Amino acid sequence: MRLVIFGRQGAGKGTQSKLLAEHFGVPHISTGDIFRAAISAGTEIGLAAKAIMDRGDLVPDDVLRGIVAERLAQSDAADGWLLDGFPRTPTQADDLDQIADPPLDLAINLEVPEDVVVERISSRRVCKAEGHIYTANDPSARSGICEVDGSAVVQRDDDTESAVRHRLEVYAEQTEPLLARYGESNRLVTVDGAGAVADVAGRVVTGINDGLAR
Ligand code: AMP
């Protein structure tokens, strides 16, 4: 099973991806998580990406190509993967066509209206170690300590209002047009991402199974 998940920031991609990856037994590969880990580790890529990410801009395509090609070549990705946050530009979609062998099976579009996502992002909190996601009112967010791994729970540096607005613009301009491309090759599944996490997860799995059967 080779999948990518699309959706504007705050649509629930990270949360749904973790559930989906578990359900289908494939690794969840989030390019944003890879960059955040690189920043924490202080690597060269992390240092270069930090300022770009904090502004809400995109890291250059050639950097992504190398990272994704290397990650998909690892043994845990031999039988499938779920990509979250890649591709984000037409060049990245071309690169994925070249890298993915066997090719991508389906693209999932998690659809949530813009006013709902702005609200969700402003209350989003994440843990530093593994990116577990909380809302501001969850006990882990209130205590500042992740209930799963004990690391600090913080607001992402790029979840500020101005960076969020810019990221939504970048998504609309550069990423959303890619959906048509997957639609044309009959590989697009669109799912309503509003509502409770478990309900959305059920709709996503049904959508994927229907998409694979057609
Ligand atoms: P995300 O966690 O997917 O929202 O990604 C956070 C940030 O990481 C983005 O706003 C970009 O700055 C950077 N990033 C993640 N994935 C990509 C990508 N495929 N192309 C360019 N930049 C990316």
Side-chain angles (χ1 to χ4, degrees):
M1 180 85 74
R2 290 163 181 83
L3 305 168
V4 302
I5 187 161
F6 287 100
R8 43 170 70 96
Q9 288 70 21
K13 289 192 300 291
T15 302
Q16 292 299 328
S17 293
K18 286 186 172 62
L19 296 172
L20 265 183
E22 208 166 292
H23 182 88
F24 289 111
V26 295
H28 166 214
I29 301 174
S30 154
T31 46
D33 284 351
I34 290 172
F35 286 126
R36 282 182 286 277
I39 290 170
S40 294
T43 66
E44 208 173 309
I45 284 185
L47 291 176
K50 169 106 176 87
I52 297 173
M53 287 173 70
D54 286 353
R55 286 198 306 270
D57 283 328
L58 295 182
V59 176
D61 290 334
D62 54 335
V63 176
L64 268 297
R65 183 185 166 88
I67 288 175
V68 172
E70 200 175 291
R71 183 63 188 88
L72 294 190
Q74 287 175 13
S75 58
D76 67 333
D79 295 329
W81 31 261
L82 168 64
L83 274 172
D84 162 13
F86 181 93
R88 263 176 151 101
T89 66
T91 301
Q92 292 181 13
D94 290 343
D95 288 344
L96 182 60
D97 286 345
Q98 286 183 7
I99 297 167
D101 182 22
L104 177 76
D105 293 305
L106 285 178
I108 304 142
N109 176 26
L110 207 51
E111 225 174 27
V112 176
E114 193 158 326
D115 50 342
V116 176
V117 302
V118 172
E119 167 85 27
R120 280 191 192 174
I121 295 179
S122 59
S123 79
R124 171 162 71 186
R125 302 292 181 272
V126 293
C127 89
K128 285 202 128 175
E130 292 179 23
H132 296 113
I133 300 163
Y134 299 102
T135 60
N137 279 328
D138 288 336
S140 290
R142 291 164 85 98
S143 67
I145 297 165
C146 177
E147 67 199 18
V148 182
D149 60 33
S151 71
V153 173
V154 297
Q155 186 167 35
R156 278 172 48 170
D157 288 342
D158 61 351
D159 277 350
T160 60
E161 198 181 327
S162 66
V164 168
R165 280 191 200 292
H166 186 55
R167 282 155 67 209
L168 287 169
E169 277 166 24
V170 171
Y171 184 81
E173 278 165 24
Q174 308 231 40
T175 307
E176 213 166 22
L178 299 180
L179 297 175
R181 171 181 181 134
Y182 295 108
E184 277 157 22
S185 53
N186 202 23
R187 290 183 292 172
L188 182 66
V189 172
T190 295
V191 176
D192 178 1
V197 170
D199 294 343
V200 176
R203 288 198 288 273
V204 173
V205 171
T206 304
I208 291 172
N209 289 333
D210 291 351
L212 289 173
R214 72 186 175 219

